[in-house]
C-alpha cells in the first residue's frame, strides 16, 4: 500500500464512490459518493504479478493470498470512527506509528488447494473499484491456477469488493466451473438489492444464479475441511470460514468483521460506516477478536495489509493487537 499516486479529481470522486459502494450499499455511502472532498487515492498496479501472490501452508494444504488491489479511505469520520473526531482516530493511528490522514485497506481473496479441488474465498472487486483493484485474475494466474480449475468459491458476504470478481468485464462467469457458495440470508439480501438498485448487481445476480449453492450460516461446507460460522452485523448473512487441515491446524477467514489492523482491533466498538447494522457489527467484531485472542488461532483478514495472515494478542492492559506473521 506504499505505492500511491494522485489522480485527477473526477477519477478520485468516482474511486471514492466505488470504494464505498464496494463495502457498503447504504444511503450514507451514496451521499459520500457525491461529495467531491477528501477523496481517497487509488493504488496502481505497480507491482509485478508475482508480488501479488503470497504462498503459505495450512497444515498440509497449499494456500495463497492473492492481491486484488486496495483502497485508501480519508480520516474524515465518514467511514472509520463515525461520530468521533478525526483527532480521536488520528491519535490511535499515530500511537501505532501509522499515518493519520488516511487509512489503507488491502483486498486479498484466499486460494486453497485441496487435492483435486481448488477453493477461492471471495473474489475481489472485479470492475467495481476502477484501477485500484480487480487484479485477482492476474494473481491467480501467477499462482499457477486457471480460472476454469476453480471448483468452489466461498463468499463471506455480498459486497462489491467480495463478489465483483465473480464475473469478468463482459459480465460472464469468471470461474465457469465453480460452485458459488453463499449463505441463504446473504443470497436473499443480494437478490433484494439487485431488484432495488438495478443494473450492476442485477447483471451479476443473473450471471451467477445457475452456479449459486446456498447454505445455512453455520454449515459444514466441505466435510472436515471448510466450516461456515455465522457472523452477522456487517451484512445480514455475513459468515466467516474455518479451514481445517487436521492435526488441529486451522485458519479462520474472518471476512469483513474487521477492516483495519489498528482501528478495527484496538477499537472494535467504534462504528464503521461499512457495517449495515453498526451495533451488531461492533458486538460481533468484539466477540470474534476476544475469541481469537483467547485461542491464539491463526487468522486471515481480507482487508488487512497483504497478505493478511496473523493472530490477535492481548496485552497486559487487556488491549488487543494484530500481530502479522
Ligand atoms: Zn470488504
Amino acid at each position: 500500500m506504499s505505492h500511491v499516486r494522485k489522480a485527477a479529481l473526477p477519477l478520485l470522486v468516482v474511486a471514492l464512490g466505488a470504494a464505498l459502494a464496494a463495502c457498503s450499499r447504504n444511503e450514507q455511502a451514496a451521499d459520500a459518493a457525491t461529495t467531491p472532498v477528501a477523496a481517497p487515492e487509488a493504488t496502481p498496479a505497480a507491482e509485478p504479478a508475482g508480488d501479488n501472490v503470497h504462498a503459505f501452508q495450512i497444515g498440509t494444504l497449499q494456500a495463497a493470498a492473492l492481491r486484488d488491489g486496495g483502497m485508501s479511505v480519508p480520516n474524515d469520520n465518514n467511514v472509520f470512527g463515525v461520530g468521533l473526531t478525526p483527532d480521536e482516530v488520528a491519535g490511535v493511528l499515530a500511537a501505532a506509528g501509522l499515518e493519520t490522514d488516511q487509512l489503507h485497506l488491502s483486498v486479498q481473496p484466499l486460494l486453497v488447494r485441496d487435492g483435486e479441488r481448488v477453493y477461492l474465498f471471495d473474489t475481489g472487486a472485479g470492475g467495481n473499484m476502477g484501477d485500484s483493484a480487480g487484479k485477482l485474475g492476474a494473481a491467480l494466474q501467477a499462482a499457477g491456477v486457471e480460472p476454469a480449475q476453480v471448483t468452489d468459491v466461498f463468499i463471506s458476504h455480498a459486497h462489491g469488493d467480495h463478489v465483483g470478481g465473480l464475473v469478468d468485464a463482459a459480465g460472464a462467469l469468471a470461474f465457469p466451473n465453480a460452485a458459488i457458495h453463499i449463505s441463504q440470508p446473504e443470497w436473499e439480501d443480494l437478490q433484494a438489492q439487485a431488484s432495488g438498485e438495478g443494473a450492476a448487481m442485477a447483471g451479476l445476480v443473473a450471471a451467477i444464479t445457475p452456479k449459486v449453492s446456498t447454505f445455512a450460516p453455520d454449515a459444514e461446507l466441505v466435510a472436515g475441511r471448510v466450516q461456515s460460522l455465522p457472523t452477522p452485523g456487517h451484512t445480514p448473512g455475513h459468515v466467516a470460514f474455518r479451514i481445517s487441515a487436521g492435526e488441529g491446524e486451522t485458519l479462520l477467514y474472518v471476512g469483513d468483521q474487521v477492516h483495519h489492523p489498528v482501528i478495527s482491533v484496538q477499537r472494535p466498538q467504534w462504528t464503521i460506516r461499512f457495517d449495515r447494522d453498526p451495533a451488531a457489527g461492533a458486538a460481533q467484531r468484539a466477540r470474534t477478536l476476544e475469541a481469537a485472542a483467547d485461542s491464539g488461532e491463526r487468522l486471515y483478514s481480507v482487508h488487512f495489509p497483504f497478505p493478511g495472515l496473523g493472530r490477535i494478542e492481548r496485552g497486559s492492559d487487556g488491549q488487543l493487537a494484530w500481530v502479522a506473521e
Side-chain angles (χ1 to χ4, degrees):
M1 297 301 292
S2 58
H3 307 285
V4 293
R5 64 174 159 80
K6 294 278 184 190
L9 183 59
L11 258 182
L12 287 173
V13 175
V14 169
L16 174 60
L20 290 173
C23 262
S24 169
R25 299 206 165 268
N26 59 23
E27 287 143 25
Q28 294 93 331
D31 290 342
T34 61
T35 306
V37 293
E41 296 172 337
T43 301
E47 310 87 356
D51 291 349
N52 295 328
V53 178
H54 175 84
F56 63 99
Q57 299 280 131
I58 309 168
T60 55
L61 297 177
Q62 288 186 319
L66 304 176
R67 189 190 339 242
D68 186 60
M71 64 182 110
S72 297
V73 178
N75 175 19
D76 61 1
N77 305 106
N78 193 43
V79 176
F80 285 95
V82 176
L84 303 170
T85 67
D87 282 350
E88 287 175 283
V89 177
V92 178
L93 294 171
L98 298 181
E99 66 175 293
T100 58
D101 59 342
Q102 55 184 344
L103 300 92
H104 299 290
L105 306 186
S106 184
V107 181
Q108 59 242 351
L110 169 65
L111 171 71
V112 177
R113 299 173 211 244
D114 184 11
E116 296 296 302
R117 297 176 78 170
V118 177
Y119 308 143
L120 260 186
F121 294 82
D122 289 332
T123 63
N128 286 326
M129 287 169 58
D131 290 341
S132 66
K135 304 175 187 71
L136 174 66
L140 190 66
Q141 190 170 42
V145 174
E146 295 297 324
Q149 294 177 286
V150 176
T151 58
D152 299 270
V153 178
F154 299 98
I155 298 296
S156 65
H157 67 294
H159 282 162
D161 55 325
H162 298 259
V163 298
L166 284 170
V167 294
D168 62 20
L173 287 171
F175 310 103
N177 298 319
I180 299 169
H181 304 276
I182 183 168
S183 81
Q184 180 67 31
E186 196 70 3
W187 177 235
E188 289 173 4
D189 189 65
L190 176 58
Q191 290 174 303
Q193 285 183 49
S195 62
E197 290 190 13
M201 282 305 206
L204 184 141
V205 165
I208 69 175
T209 293
K211 293 291 188 180
V212 164
S213 173
T214 59
F215 60 85
D218 61 347
E220 185 170 35
L221 299 172
V222 179
R225 190 68 88 204
V226 180
Q227 172 82 34
S228 72
L229 305 169
T231 48
H234 181 64
T235 61
H238 186 284
V239 295
F241 297 106
R242 177 168 285 121
I243 303 151
S244 300
E247 306 285 323
E249 289 277 357
T250 66
L251 181 70
L252 183 63
Y253 183 97
V254 296
D256 275 19
Q257 296 177 79
V258 291
H259 291 83
H260 189 275
V262 171
I263 298 298
S264 297
V265 174
Q266 298 185 14
R267 298 292 186 275
Q269 73 278 19
W270 282 7
T271 293
I272 178 169
R273 179 78 70 204
F274 297 151
D275 285 349
R276 179 92 60 87
D277 182 335
Q284 181 60 58
R285 179 163 46 251
R287 276 196 300 274
T288 293
L289 291 169
E290 291 291 343
D294 289 343
S295 68
E297 186 171 21
R298 192 185 194 195
L299 306 187
Y300 185 97
S301 180
V302 60
H303 288 311
F304 282 7
F306 186 81
L309 281 166
R311 299 173 198 274
I312 301 296
E313 292 187 358
R314 186 184 288 111
S316 55
D317 58 355
Q319 171 85 65
L320 302 182
W322 170 251
V323 180
E325 281 187 14

